[in-house]
DNA sequence: CAGGATCCTATCCGATACTG
DNA sequence: CAGTATCGGATAGGATCCTG
């Protein structure tokens, strides 16, 4: 845990001093790229969804993980949460501006991987 | 694990049928967004690095995790590995075309998060 | 220097049960 | 419907030792 910025010697650009220290961006990235976070964010890009809609959309996720992931994303300011006090209660989730901003590279990432996989089929050339 | 594509009803766009099924992209995304994978990929964007250089760059990573992460990335065709049979042996890692392609949105993601964090300082408006 | 093998712990995460 | 609380299995991941 010796706090040293290795990338300060990061030549011309010197872009990042961050990704080895304990800067908050590390935590944020961890949340965003968590097992389910990325899928929640991508899911919400098309439109706002309710809890059960998210659960249906993201195959394989459990209620626990969905709730936990959503809580982290809401806390990070990536997702908003709106409760309508009806019976039964309805809770809707959607992306904040920040969330939408973050969703772009995520979708892009997923897009490129998908494209690559379909291009090379299965047996890549290496 | 009932294989159903929820997003087939995904209206106008209908972009992704994938991210809830067990398509190979899921695995790839998991590797790329694994705890250390993203930092390895970002590290290698500026230039090729040797094993110990990577370990120094990515603060907090253990040899085990670095080796394991690298193996997965090499297997996925994102990173190449070059062994020079000298004494002591030198092993260099770098990004393949695919890895470089994937690295772009990753860097973008990290960039946006960092930018947002420095913009709002610490106490975001929510 | 590069990394495999082993051990052990922290955490992730799913299943279940319960609340409002 | 939308969660929370708890338990237990699986896995991630760190520390250490050892090899080429």
């Amino acid at each position: 845990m010796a706090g040293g910025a290795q990338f300060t010697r990061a030549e011309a650009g010197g872009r990042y001093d961050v990704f080895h220290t304990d800067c908050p961006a590390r935590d944020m990235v961890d949340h965003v790229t968590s097992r389910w976070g990325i899928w929640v964010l991508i899911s919400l890009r098309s439109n706002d969804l309710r809890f059960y809609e998210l659960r249906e959309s993201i195959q394989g996720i459990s209620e626990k993980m969905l709730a936990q992931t959503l809580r982290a994303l809401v806390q990070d300011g990536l997702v908003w949460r709106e409760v309508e006090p009806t019976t039964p209660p309805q809770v809707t989730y959607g992306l904040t501006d920040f969330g939408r901003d973050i969703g772009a590279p995520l979708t892009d990432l997923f897009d490129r991987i998908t494209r690559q996989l379909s291009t090379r089929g299965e047996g890549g050339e290496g």
Side-chain angles (χ1 to χ4, degrees), chain A:
Chain A
M1 294 300 180
Q6 290 76 356
F7 253 61
T8 15
R9 58 98 177 162
E11 65 285 283
R15 295 164 61 84
Y16 311 119
D17 318 87
V18 250
F19 64 92
H20 11 62
T21 75
D22 32 15
C23 78
R26 271 282 283 260
D27 289 336
M28 182 83 62
V29 171
D30 273 356
H31 288 164
V32 169
T33 63
S34 71
R35 182 127 171 63
W36 301 110
I38 178 171
W39 308 116
V40 169
L41 291 173
I42 293 184
S43 291
L44 290 176
R45 278 205 100 202
S46 13
N47 43 285
D48 306 338
L49 293 173
R50 294 181 46 192
F51 190 84
Y52 85 95
E53 289 178 315
L54 275 168
R55 185 175 17 124
E56 304 288 296
S57 282
I58 306 169
Q59 193 172 53
I61 197 172
S62 65
E63 293 88 354
K64 176 184 172 180
M65 277 304 101
L66 180 53
Q68 185 173 307
T69 302
L70 282 170
R71 224 181 309 146
L73 294 177
V74 168
Q75 187 160 354
D76 285 345
L78 293 154
V79 169
W80 52 257
R81 178 192 140 113
E82 189 185 38
V83 185
E84 289 183 63
T86 60
T87 355
Q90 294 198 0
V91 183
T92 308
Y93 295 90
L95 293 184
T96 62
D97 286 345
F98 182 29
R100 203 161 292 281
D101 189 44
I102 293 306
L106 247 33
T107 304
D108 189 25
L109 170 71
F110 180 65
D111 225 43
R112 294 185 188 215
I113 288 180
T114 304
R115 195 180 312 133
Q116 172 72 12
L117 286 181
S118 43
T119 296
R120 61 152 92 152
E122 292 303 323
E125 79 292 328

